[in-house]
């Protein structure tokens, strides 16, 4: 059985690859984030991901199937009854949610807002569903004049609080959101999000990079808890620490963009000797999916592809890279919500020069099961694909032996 010293888990936030069988229940028939981006903004230029087998997962304009992909490929089904980031990441970590988080798409009830006014010491503005960039332009001047924070929500299970950094200091905003997190647990609201912004009425208001998410704690131990319990290092990049409430994480690096997330991932891997490096790249979802920007989404995929070409050269034979997503966010669909989709699965190690078809997995939790098995642990509800990788490795060694050599390091 293969055993990897370092595992890198890269979550491309919102990069789905086709509607799930129950997508109709979520009004997501026809969703296919990758496929529809290729059709509307393609042809895509993704030579690295093509060589890894991305085109073998779903038809993608500009990225045809690869005859000999250098990564194992497949797709995964979300078993949980939702399509949000928290639920998707938790399922990757081995926690399946049978009941979705609650959504208050028309605003929050009076008892919640009364609690907020008590905690904030003032009445809020807003309490409406809105785009975060739009509502600060609309209510920003009144907020600056009155000092009243802006509360808004969306079709996702979020309670968002926006405040100008010169009006409500960021640490005070975090404190308000921390206290609201305790209030909202009983309402099953997935995330409280602090949204600091700056600027002025004349030149416009802009959100800063000091966003912070306050998630409900996972209802039971996740893969991260189990790794930490057994002294296996866990490093997190992006919003991973927020999603898991810091549980099971040794160190984390907050980031404001995909570019920052990729740089942090590369830097952390250079320092790691053994353990898990868990990264979320948020821009696909936050900057392009919700804003229904196919062109920007395609450009972000191409930036990722270029970075991967260099990152793969940094990997050792004892390293494993897993690339996946947490849900879809198809920019060609109506509205601004996430979309109920399969997510791609690409698994790469320099140890194996040719990948294999991992099929359609029954749950995101197969990733957690694989990582735990790699570190000789058990506990995830998923099915590990480590044995499939080991079988490919053994076949490669036999073929190399028969031809009197050793398998060459794959070029992707």
């Amino acid at each position: 059985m293969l055993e990897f010293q370092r595992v890198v888990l890269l979550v491309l936030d919102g990069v789905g690859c086709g509607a799930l069988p129950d997508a109709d229940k979520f009004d997501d028939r026809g969703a296919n984030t990758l496929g529809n981006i290729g059709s509307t903004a393609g042809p895509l230029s993704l030579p690295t991901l093509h060589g890894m087998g991305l085109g073998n997962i779903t038809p993608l304009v500009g990225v045809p199937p690869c005859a000999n992909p250098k990564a194992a490929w497949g797709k995964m089904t979300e078993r949980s009854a939702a399509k949000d980031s928290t639920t998707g990441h938790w399922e990757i970590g081995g926690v399946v949610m049978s009941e979705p988080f609650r959504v208050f798409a028309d605003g929050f009830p009076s008892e919640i807002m009364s609690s907020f006014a008590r905690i904030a010491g003032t009445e809020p503005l807003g309490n409406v569903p809105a785009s975060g960039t739009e509502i600060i332009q609309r209510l920003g001047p009144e907020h600056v004049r009155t000092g009243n924070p802006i509360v808004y929500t969306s079709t996702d299970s979020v309670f968002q609080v926006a405040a100008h950094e010169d009006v409500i200091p960021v640490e005070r905003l975090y404190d308000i959101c921390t206290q609201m997190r305790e209030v909202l647990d009983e309402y099953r609201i997935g995330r409280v999000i602090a949204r600091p912004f700056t600027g002025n009425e004349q030149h416009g208001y802009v959100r800063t990079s000091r966003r912070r998410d306050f998630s409900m704690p996972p209802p039971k131990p996740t893969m991260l808890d189990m790794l930490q319990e057994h002294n296996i290092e866990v490093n997190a990049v992006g919003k991973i620490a927020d999603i898991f409430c810091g549980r099971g994480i040794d160190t984390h690096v907050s980031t404001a963009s995909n570019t920052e997330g990729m740089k942090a991932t590369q830097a952390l891997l250079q320092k790691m000797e053994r353990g898990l490096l868990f990264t979320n790249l948020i821009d696909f979802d936050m900057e392009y999916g919700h804003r229904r920007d196919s062109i920007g989404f395609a450009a972000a995929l191409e930036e990722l592809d270029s970075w991967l070409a260099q990152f793969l050269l940094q990997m050792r034979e004892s390293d494993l890279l897993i690339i996946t997503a947490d849900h879809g966010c198809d920019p060609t669909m109506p509205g601004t919500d996430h979309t109920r989709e399969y997510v791609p699965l690409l698994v790469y190690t320099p140890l194996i020069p040719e990948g294999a078809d991992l099929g359609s997995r029954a749950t995101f939790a197969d990733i957690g099961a694989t990582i735990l098995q790699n570190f000789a642990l058990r506990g995830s509800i998923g099915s590990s694909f480590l044995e499939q990788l080991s079988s490919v490795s053994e076949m490669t060694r036999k073929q190399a032996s028969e031809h009197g050599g050793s398998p060459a390091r794959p070029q992707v």
Side-chain angles (χ1 to χ4, degrees):
M1 180 74 67
L2 291 175
E3 179 180 340
F4 299 96
Q5 293 299 303
R6 305 188 300 183
V7 179
V8 181
L9 174 53
L10 194 62
V11 177
L12 314 182
D13 204 302
V15 183
C17 62
L20 285 170
D22 64 355
D24 282 3
K25 298 178 182 178
F26 296 81
D27 297 323
D28 290 332
R29 176 184 290 182
N32 186 335
T33 301
L34 278 172
N36 289 336
I37 287 170
S39 298
T40 59
L44 297 170
S45 177
L46 304 175
T48 308
L49 287 165
H50 168 254
M52 296 178 74
L54 182 64
N56 298 54
I57 299 173
T58 188
L60 186 54
V61 176
V63 187
C66 181
N68 298 295
K70 307 307 180 186
W73 75 94
K75 61 183 181 180
M76 300 193 299
T77 304
E78 184 165 20
R79 273 180 53 187
S80 298
K83 54 177 180 177
D84 61 273
S85 289
T86 300
T87 301
H89 282 79
W90 285 3
E91 184 166 327
I92 288 171
V95 176
V96 171
M97 302 290 286
S98 58
E99 181 182 356
F101 292 118
R102 290 183 67 186
V103 172
F104 294 87
D106 297 320
F108 300 100
S110 58
E111 64 266 25
I112 289 179
M113 298 315 297
S114 294
S115 295
F116 180 84
R118 172 180 54 79
I119 289 168
T122 184
E123 293 294 326
L125 302 173
N127 188 27
V128 292
S131 158
T133 52
E134 177 274 330
I135 200 169
I136 60 175
Q137 309 304 329
R138 177 160 56 90
L139 297 181
E142 185 178 356
H143 161 69
V144 171
R145 186 179 72 253
T146 64
N148 295 346
I150 301 168
V151 172
Y152 64 104
T153 187
S154 71
T155 51
D156 205 354
S157 181
V158 290
F159 184 99
Q160 305 196 70
V161 187
H164 196 291
E165 292 188 358
D166 293 339
V167 176
I168 299 177
V170 173
E171 292 303 324
R172 171 58 180 153
L173 178 60
Y174 292 165
D175 178 62
I176 291 170
C177 290
T178 298
Q179 294 184 63
M180 281 305 297
R181 175 68 274 165
E182 296 176 3
V183 170
L184 296 176
D185 280 357
E186 67 175 283
Y187 293 92
R188 291 188 53 76
I189 292 176
R191 284 179 291 161
V192 179
I193 306 178
R195 291 284 197 176
F197 65 93
T198 58
N200 55 57
E201 184 174 4
Q202 180 181 0
H203 297 101
Y205 299 100
V206 293
R207 298 192 296 197
T208 74
S209 62
R210 296 205 274 180
R211 160 185 170 162
R212 187 172 172 188
D213 293 35
F214 301 81
S215 295
M216 277 188 67
K220 58 183 180 179
T222 71
M223 165 189 69
L224 304 185
D225 297 308
M226 298 174 200
L227 291 173
Q228 190 176 63
E229 181 182 346
H230 290 83
N231 299 313
I232 296 168
E233 181 180 351
V234 177
N235 294 310
V237 175
K239 67 181 186 180
I240 300 299
D242 291 335
I243 288 173
F244 290 92
C245 302
R247 279 178 29 184
I249 294 169
D250 296 298
T251 61
H252 79 275
V253 177
S254 297
T255 60
S257 66
N258 279 4
T259 302
E260 287 188 13
M262 290 183 286
K263 288 180 178 178
T265 300
Q266 196 148 6
L268 282 173
L269 186 63
Q270 291 175 349
K271 300 175 183 178
M272 280 183 60
E273 289 302 321
R274 185 172 185 264
L276 171 66
L277 175 51
F278 195 173
T279 293
N280 174 280
L281 298 180
I282 185 62
D283 283 356
F284 302 109
D285 177 85
M286 181 176 69
E287 295 294 334
Y288 309 115
H290 285 301
R291 297 183 185 184
R292 296 318 195 223
D293 179 0
S294 296
I295 301 298
F297 208 126
L301 287 169
E302 292 176 355
E303 180 192 16
L304 168 71
D305 191 86
S306 179
W307 172 78
L308 274 172
Q310 299 303 313
F311 182 72
L312 296 183
L313 296 177
Q314 182 182 334
M315 297 186 67
R316 306 169 183 168
E317 287 194 348
S318 58
D319 291 343
L320 183 69
L321 170 64
I322 303 173
I323 301 176
T324 190
D326 51 347
H327 53 70
C329 199
D330 188 339
T332 71
M333 295 293 285
T336 61
D337 197 8
H338 297 150
T339 42
R340 178 75 169 174
E341 298 184 49
Y342 293 100
V343 298
L345 177 64
L346 291 173
V347 185
Y348 171 79
T349 173
L351 188 64
I352 306 174
E354 185 173 329
D357 186 354
L358 296 177
S360 182
R361 317 295 299 192
T363 171
F364 295 1
D366 286 4
I367 288 178
T370 301
I371 293 171
L372 288 176
Q373 185 181 23
N374 177 71
F375 291 108
L377 302 176
R378 297 180 180 178
S380 177
I381 60 172
S383 299
S384 170
F385 44 78
L386 194 61
E387 292 183 8
Q388 289 174 263
L389 298 179
S390 298
S391 297
V392 174
S393 176
E394 181 62 28
M395 184 181 303
T396 300
R397 282 197 295 269
K398 287 182 178 179
Q399 291 173 345
S401 177
E402 290 171 359
H403 290 83
S406 58
R409 181 185 175 95
Q411 300 298 311
V412 179

